Amino acid sequence: MPRDTETTRRALVTGATGYIGSRLVPRLLEEGWTVRVLTRDPSKIERRRWVDDVEIAQGDAAHRSVLAEALADVDVAYYLLHSMDGAPGFTERDRDMARTFGIAAFEAGVGRIVYLSGLHPAGRLSDHLASRVEVGDLLMASGVPTAVLQAAVILGSGSASFEMLRHLTNRLPVMVAPKWLENRIQPIAVRDVLHYLVAAADLPPEVNRTFDIGGPEVLTYREMIQRYAQVTGRTRRAIVTVPVLTPWLASQWVGFVTPVPTGIAKPLVGSLIHEVVCRERDLEELVGAPPDGVTGFDDAVRASIESESGSRPEPGTVDPARITAADPSWAGD
């Protein structure tokens, strides 16, 4: 797969059919990158408006021969692969895939890996969040300079966590909810995530570390529900928290009340036992903030809703098929 010109930089985007990957591709194209996408099934990107503007590498990212071809002549590789299907053994699958990818990227001479992971506290983590952290550690140990961007809830239409927030608020004016609704969270707008992902490609080659990324506000999940209701013109929600809902029970509740599949809801809820707040803003100091500054919660909600149809949708309307596991700190993307 030769370069089109001597000066064009090439980016490989894995997970290009996912929530973040499908939005990252056009942003990279706008910035003048040559973009290659790795997909097991090219038919899944046939309707993307950018399909004719990218190079397509077909195959499974778990196979070294596939990766060798996909990573050839690549300057930066975006690793946006996670197992979030509810099936057992996801930790081992993600560990093996990350290790294989890191080795292949090193052998191909890739200049940088950028990985979107999960914002997390110190100490014991949920299985899915711990796996995200392990994947980042493996990529940073690959010998390829790696930037691990750690985000909490990503606010954007189609994000699993955003759809969970949306539908809990829309459908339950009165709710009995788990005590984790009081945990503090630093959500971030999807457009700001994309800014940092693109900008991270230009970090100096000696930078090999994690970065916390988040919006300007720290809110509890309860506050996020109330703010969403206010922004969308709904009445204030009556919320009573109880300590008896286990993550398993809570995931069944989320799966029943919202269109988020239970297999995705379980790791999302399992990660909600943690408070996820940025401990540093070093990436912003190195690459700069988004052009209009980081996006506040209310503006992010408005932008997410307007992006769907240009007007606010009716409560409860969503296509479950477009929900993707976008939020890595809650076992996403």
Side-chain angles (χ1 to χ4, degrees):
M1 297 184 185
R3 295 178 185 271
D4 296 327
T5 71
E6 291 295 326
T7 58
T8 300
R9 295 188 297 172
R10 177 175 281 107
L12 174 71
V13 178
T14 63
T17 60
Y19 179 76
I20 294 296
S22 63
R23 289 156 175 76
L24 177 61
V25 168
R27 285 291 298 273
L28 289 168
L29 290 170
E30 290 170 5
E31 295 294 324
W33 286 83
T34 294
V35 179
R36 180 181 299 158
V37 300
L38 174 60
T39 178
R40 285 177 293 185
D41 184 1
S43 67
K44 290 184 177 181
I45 62 172
E46 286 179 352
R47 295 187 178 182
R48 301 288 182 182
R49 59 183 175 83
W50 41 258
V51 65
D52 293 329
D53 300 319
V54 301
E55 302 171 349
I56 299 175
Q58 182 176 359
D60 192 325
H63 298 154
R64 290 279 292 276
S65 59
V66 170
L67 291 176
E69 181 177 358
L71 290 164
D73 297 323
V74 163
D75 298 285
V76 60
Y78 287 92
Y79 191 82
L80 304 173
L81 302 172
H82 300 303
S83 297
M84 194 173 169
D85 52 11
F90 71 90
T91 298
E92 292 76 13
R93 291 197 302 274
D94 279 356
R95 178 185 301 131
D96 291 343
M97 192 158 55
R99 186 179 288 119
T100 299
F101 190 90
I103 292 171
F106 179 80
E107 292 177 345
V110 172
R112 172 163 298 282
I113 296 172
V114 180
Y115 169 56
L116 183 60
S117 184
L119 193 59
H120 61 89
R124 183 174 176 81
L125 303 173
S126 69
D127 291 344
H128 278 265
L129 188 48
S131 178
R132 303 289 81 77
V133 173
E134 181 185 26
V135 166
D137 290 342
L138 288 168
L139 294 174
M140 287 188 290
S142 67
V144 178
T146 298
V148 177
L149 278 54
Q150 301 179 146
V153 175
I154 297 176
L155 300 171
S157 178
S159 154
S161 288
F162 182 77
E163 297 302 339
M164 187 169 83
L165 172 68
R166 181 216 296 263
H167 284 77
L168 288 176
T169 307
N170 289 351
R171 295 182 176 181
L172 297 177
V174 178
M175 68 182 79
V176 177
K179 62 181 180 180
W180 45 251
L181 262 69
E182 309 299 344
N183 285 351
R184 297 184 307 147
I185 301 160
Q186 193 162 355
I188 182 171
V190 64
R191 60 189 179 191
D192 294 344
V193 173
L194 295 173
H195 164 79
Y196 290 123
L197 285 171
V198 173
D202 291 321
L203 286 167
E206 66 272 14
V207 175
N208 184 60
R209 54 163 290 191
T210 63
F211 294 96
D212 293 350
I213 59 173
E217 299 169 90
V218 176
L219 304 166
T220 66
Y221 202 89
R222 178 197 291 269
E223 290 170 333
M224 290 169 60
I225 289 174
Q226 302 295 14
R227 291 275 289 274
Y228 181 94
Q230 182 179 21
V231 169
T232 56
R234 291 168 174 82
T235 60
R236 184 173 179 83
R237 274 27 197 165
I239 304 171
V240 177
T241 58
V242 295
V244 295
L245 283 181
T246 65
W248 184 86
L249 285 173
S251 67
Q252 301 301 309
W253 169 63
V254 169
F256 178 75
V257 173
T258 80
V260 177
T262 301
I264 293 177
K266 183 177 180 180
L268 290 179
V269 170
S271 295
L272 287 170
I273 61 176
H274 306 295
E275 292 202 327
V276 281
V277 178
C278 293
R279 290 170 289 186
E280 44 84 8
R281 303 298 293 253
D282 295 350
L283 185 61
E284 187 172 307
E285 295 178 7
L286 287 169
V287 303
D292 298 322
V294 288
T295 309
F297 180 87
D298 293 356
D299 287 340
V301 170
R302 292 189 190 98
S304 299
I305 293 171
E306 290 170 0
S307 70
E308 296 175 321
S309 61
S311 61
R312 192 174 75 195
E314 291 300 313
T317 59
V318 68
D319 176 7
R322 70 181 176 82
I323 295 177
T324 56
D327 310 320
S329 66
W330 294 7
D333 208 23

